[in-house]
Amino acid sequence: MSKPASHYPNAPKAQPTARHTLAVIVDNEPGVLARIAGLFSGRGYNIESLTVSETEHEKHISRITVVTSGTANVIDQIKAHLDRLVPVHRVVDLTEQGEAIERELALVKVVGKGDHRVEAMRLASAFGARVLDASLTSFVFELTGATEEIERFIKTMTAVGLTEVSRTGIAAMSRGPDSM
């Protein structure tokens, strides 16, 4: 006979957490972003990445892309709470729709001279990063790609003089002909 996993036979089983990317279509008006961020913080949910931009200028509509993690129940709660906010038109869980295309932009400043400078240029070229600014002692590189690629680039540049990083957060869209 097998032993129960807990001393309490009816104890709830731990649910796995997963990362989800949510696309939220909202009215572009003052306070909308604060209300959405407040929804997350008020319930103790974490926002791992957040990007916002107006996407339909004539209709004053913005798209918010939120990356968060949680159990299936928590993600369902987040989506339900977002759906109930007045300025929200639609909430789509891009993770549930299948493999979404996700990209982010990073600006990376590297400071160094001599061999470090040459190595920074070689590594940036290998990653496909563009040089946006160059001086005798520093570079600012631009790299667009998947989060994992950005992370690898930052880690690699640390060895040759990385001093500053600015990242946009994730922009995402579902694959195929269907749109939000």
Side-chain angles (χ1 to χ4, degrees), residues 8-176:
Y8 303 98
N10 295 329
K13 294 180 174 63
Q15 292 184 335
T17 61
R19 177 181 168 273
H20 283 254
T21 302
L22 307 175
V24 186
I25 304 300
V26 299
D27 290 329
N28 185 15
E29 59 186 40
V32 174
L33 182 58
R35 290 175 69 190
I36 288 175
L39 182 149
F40 277 80
S41 67
R43 288 166 178 79
Y45 305 142
N46 187 40
I47 296 174
E48 296 175 17
S49 175
L50 177 71
T51 59
V52 184
S53 184
E54 188 173 64
T55 55
E56 296 180 49
H57 300 294
E58 301 81 30
K59 296 180 182 177
H60 300 289
I61 299 291
S62 290
R63 181 180 179 128
I64 300 174
T65 304
V66 180
V67 178
T68 189
S69 292
T71 64
N73 290 342
V74 166
I75 299 299
D76 287 343
Q77 282 180 337
I78 289 170
K79 291 188 295 189
H81 289 303
L82 285 170
D83 257 334
R84 285 195 289 268
L85 288 178
V86 172
V88 172
H89 293 276
R90 188 154 183 224
V91 178
V92 175
D93 188 340
L94 296 173
T95 305
E96 287 182 353
Q97 283 193 337
E99 296 242 350
I101 298 168
E102 295 185 356
R103 293 292 181 266
E104 77 175 290
L105 170 82
L107 300 178
V108 177
K109 184 180 287 186
V110 176
V111 175
K113 294 182 180 179
D115 290 343
H116 284 283
R117 185 175 168 78
V118 172
E119 186 65 4
M121 282 299 293
R122 187 188 69 75
L123 291 168
S125 178
F127 275 89
R130 288 182 39 211
V131 177
L132 297 182
D133 184 59
S135 72
L136 295 175
T137 58
S138 69
F139 291 106
V140 175
F141 298 108
E142 171 190 60
L143 181 65
T144 304
T147 300
E148 298 78 24
E149 182 181 1
I150 301 290
E151 292 290 340
R152 281 194 316 275
F153 183 67
I154 291 169
K155 185 177 179 182
T156 302
M157 287 304 194
T158 301
V160 292
L162 176 95
T163 60
E164 188 176 349
V165 176
S166 178
R167 295 170 75 164
T168 60
I170 293 172
M173 188 173 284
S174 64
R175 294 180 184 271

